[in-house]
Amino acid sequence: MAERAHGAVETGIVTVTVRVSRFHPETDRSSGQQDYLVPAGPGMTVLDALVYIKEHLDGSLAYRSSCRMGICGSCGMFISGLPRLACQTQIRALGPVVTVEPLPNYPVVRDVVPDLEPMVTHHTAVRPFIVRGGEEQEYPTAEYLQTPVELDAYLQFAYCIKCGICLSACPTLATDPAFAGPQALAQVYRYSADSRDDGRRARLGAVDIAHGIWRCHLAGACTEACPKGVDPALAIQLLKRLIVADVLGIGRRRGPAPVAPPDMQAQRRPDIPAAPPATVPGGSGAQKNQP
Amino acid sequence: MAEAARRVQSGPPKRIGVRGWVYAGRYGLDRYLYILQRASGLGLILYLFLHIYETGIRLRGEAAWSATMALFRTPVFVVFEFILFAGFVFHALNGLRLIFAELGWLLGPPTRPVYPYRTSIRRHRPWVYALMVLTGLFVALAAWDIFVLLD
């Protein structure tokens, strides 16, 4: 299945055979296949082809999609041997026959719709939110202070759209359903590396277990498959370093980021001119700069 | 209620199973190295038991020991020895690389995901190539030593 070189000019309409996996939970015991002939113009995605099939060829086809621009993560499918987002996969780059199957390592709801429950269960189990002790968590008084360098430590992993593609690519999850999976582990690192967070210990304890992080042997498939460049493999290896450093008691750890100090009510010096009037009447900047 | 309805409708898990360990399909080089690392590791464990049995033969006297040693000098066992050494070299060097990488070294820092994405696996690739060259060098030396010098 030779993929075409990037930048090759494609014109006209070619007919592509789309081999879709079919499964109806009430009548089928296992998945079958069905071929559809789809006219593919330049720029057509696999999702466009599925829309075409549903509109013109077979209304009974079930698939999941929403934003059709790689933001929502609904249309993760196993397309021609790799898990990818259907909306971001050019159909004419895949040759004359394109196979579309549901994501592996998930139960199938119907046709190419996977049940993402395993991912969601692991994701929610790792406390994917900023944890701060005390009153500040429930009744915040001000923002936390964070430098751009501290932001870059976790920002890449915050781009996860929870499409579940990395769990399909993972060879460990192929046999071990209890494994937390790349998505959840990457989110453990995303929140543990966040300087505003103070819940690291509980979160790391939840993955430093038999079916936790140490089942990852760096096959790199999750990172390769990730459609958003989130790089879960890197997050998992950095998380391993964090846990090892924690256990050995080495490495520098600063406490959670401080809350921004309250307004000091400073007075303007007479030799400094007053700020121009605020564009938004009554805005906070206007009040501060009044002498 | 909706929860129960949805559970009834879900089909069986479409788990890849052991095929996920031994088949890398269209995935990249690291996935194949992952398979090789497992296969060579299992091979070395198997060899360890054979090795214990084989050295235990020494207890049955000199004649049995000499016969075993003569068997090991037959071409089939010389080839086995070479494969064993190649597996050992690969497992050791790749294992060292994995120890470093799994502690977060040699992968580069997190970067903002700007398309086209440059992943840690790509940044790490030169180390993989270096490892393969080194492994090839050791295996070639072993081939020269086992097949040319001794016989």
Short mmCIF file of all heavy atoms in Angstrom, two decimals, chain B residues 57-69:
data_model
loop_
_atom_site.label_atom_id
_atom_site.label_comp_id
_atom_site.label_asym_id
_atom_site.label_seq_id
_atom_site.Cartn_x
_atom_site.Cartn_y
_atom_site.Cartn_z
N ILE B 57 26.22 -31.36 33.40
CA ILE B 57 26.70 -32.62 32.82
C ILE B 57 28.10 -32.95 33.34
O ILE B 57 28.49 -34.11 33.44
CB ILE B 57 26.64 -32.52 31.28
CG1 ILE B 57 25.19 -32.50 30.82
CG2 ILE B 57 27.37 -33.70 30.63
CD1 ILE B 57 25.02 -32.27 29.34
N ARG B 58 28.85 -31.91 33.73
CA ARG B 58 30.22 -32.11 34.25
C ARG B 58 30.22 -33.07 35.45
O ARG B 58 31.19 -33.81 35.68
CB ARG B 58 30.79 -30.74 34.66
CG ARG B 58 32.25 -30.75 35.08
CD ARG B 58 33.14 -31.03 33.87
NE ARG B 58 34.53 -31.23 34.28
CZ ARG B 58 35.03 -32.38 34.71
NH1 ARG B 58 34.23 -33.43 34.83
NH2 ARG B 58 36.30 -32.49 35.04
N LEU B 59 29.10 -33.10 36.19
CA LEU B 59 29.00 -33.96 37.38
C LEU B 59 29.00 -35.45 37.01
O LEU B 59 29.28 -36.30 37.84
CB LEU B 59 27.74 -33.63 38.18
CG LEU B 59 27.67 -32.23 38.79
CD1 LEU B 59 26.31 -31.98 39.41
CD2 LEU B 59 28.76 -32.07 39.86
N ARG B 60 28.65 -35.77 35.76
CA ARG B 60 28.53 -37.18 35.36
C ARG B 60 29.86 -37.73 34.87
O ARG B 60 29.90 -38.78 34.22
CB ARG B 60 27.48 -37.31 34.26
CG ARG B 60 26.09 -37.00 34.75
CD ARG B 60 25.07 -37.37 33.69
NE ARG B 60 23.98 -36.41 33.68
CZ ARG B 60 23.27 -36.11 32.60
NH1 ARG B 60 23.54 -36.67 31.45
NH2 ARG B 60 22.28 -35.25 32.69
N GLY B 61 30.92 -37.02 35.09
CA GLY B 61 32.23 -37.55 34.74
C GLY B 61 32.79 -36.95 33.47
O GLY B 61 32.08 -36.26 32.72
N GLU B 62 34.10 -37.24 33.24
CA GLU B 62 34.82 -36.58 32.17
C GLU B 62 34.33 -37.02 30.79
O GLU B 62 34.28 -36.22 29.86
CB GLU B 62 36.31 -36.86 32.31
CG GLU B 62 37.15 -35.81 31.61
CD GLU B 62 38.64 -36.14 31.67
OE1 GLU B 62 39.06 -36.77 32.66
OE2 GLU B 62 39.35 -35.79 30.73
N ALA B 63 33.94 -38.30 30.66
CA ALA B 63 33.56 -38.82 29.34
C ALA B 63 32.30 -38.12 28.84
O ALA B 63 32.25 -37.66 27.69
CB ALA B 63 33.30 -40.33 29.44
N ALA B 64 31.30 -38.00 29.74
CA ALA B 64 30.04 -37.35 29.36
C ALA B 64 30.30 -35.90 28.98
O ALA B 64 29.77 -35.38 28.00
CB ALA B 64 29.05 -37.42 30.52
N TRP B 65 31.16 -35.25 29.75
CA TRP B 65 31.49 -33.84 29.51
C TRP B 65 32.16 -33.66 28.15
O TRP B 65 31.79 -32.78 27.37
CB TRP B 65 32.38 -33.34 30.66
CG TRP B 65 32.89 -31.94 30.47
CD1 TRP B 65 34.17 -31.56 30.21
CD2 TRP B 65 32.13 -30.73 30.53
NE1 TRP B 65 34.27 -30.21 30.11
CE2 TRP B 65 33.01 -29.66 30.30
CE3 TRP B 65 30.76 -30.46 30.77
CZ2 TRP B 65 32.59 -28.35 30.30
CZ3 TRP B 65 30.37 -29.14 30.76
CH2 TRP B 65 31.26 -28.10 30.54
N SER B 66 33.14 -34.52 27.84
CA SER B 66 33.86 -34.41 26.57
C SER B 66 32.92 -34.65 25.39
O SER B 66 33.00 -33.96 24.37
CB SER B 66 35.00 -35.43 26.52
OG SER B 66 35.87 -35.20 27.59
N ALA B 67 32.00 -35.61 25.56
CA ALA B 67 31.05 -35.89 24.48
C ALA B 67 30.17 -34.68 24.22
O ALA B 67 29.90 -34.30 23.08
CB ALA B 67 30.19 -37.10 24.86
N THR B 68 29.72 -34.03 25.33
CA THR B 68 28.88 -32.84 25.19
C THR B 68 29.65 -31.73 24.48
O THR B 68 29.14 -31.06 23.59
CB THR B 68 28.41 -32.36 26.57
OG1 THR B 68 27.99 -33.48 27.32
CG2 THR B 68 27.27 -31.37 26.44
N MET B 69 30.91 -31.55 24.90
CA MET B 69 31.72 -30.49 24.28
C MET B 69 31.93 -30.76 22.80
O MET B 69 31.93 -29.84 21.98
CB MET B 69 33.07 -30.40 25.00
CG MET B 69 33.02 -29.73 26.37
SD MET B 69 32.47 -28.01 26.29
CE MET B 69 30.82 -28.16 26.91
#
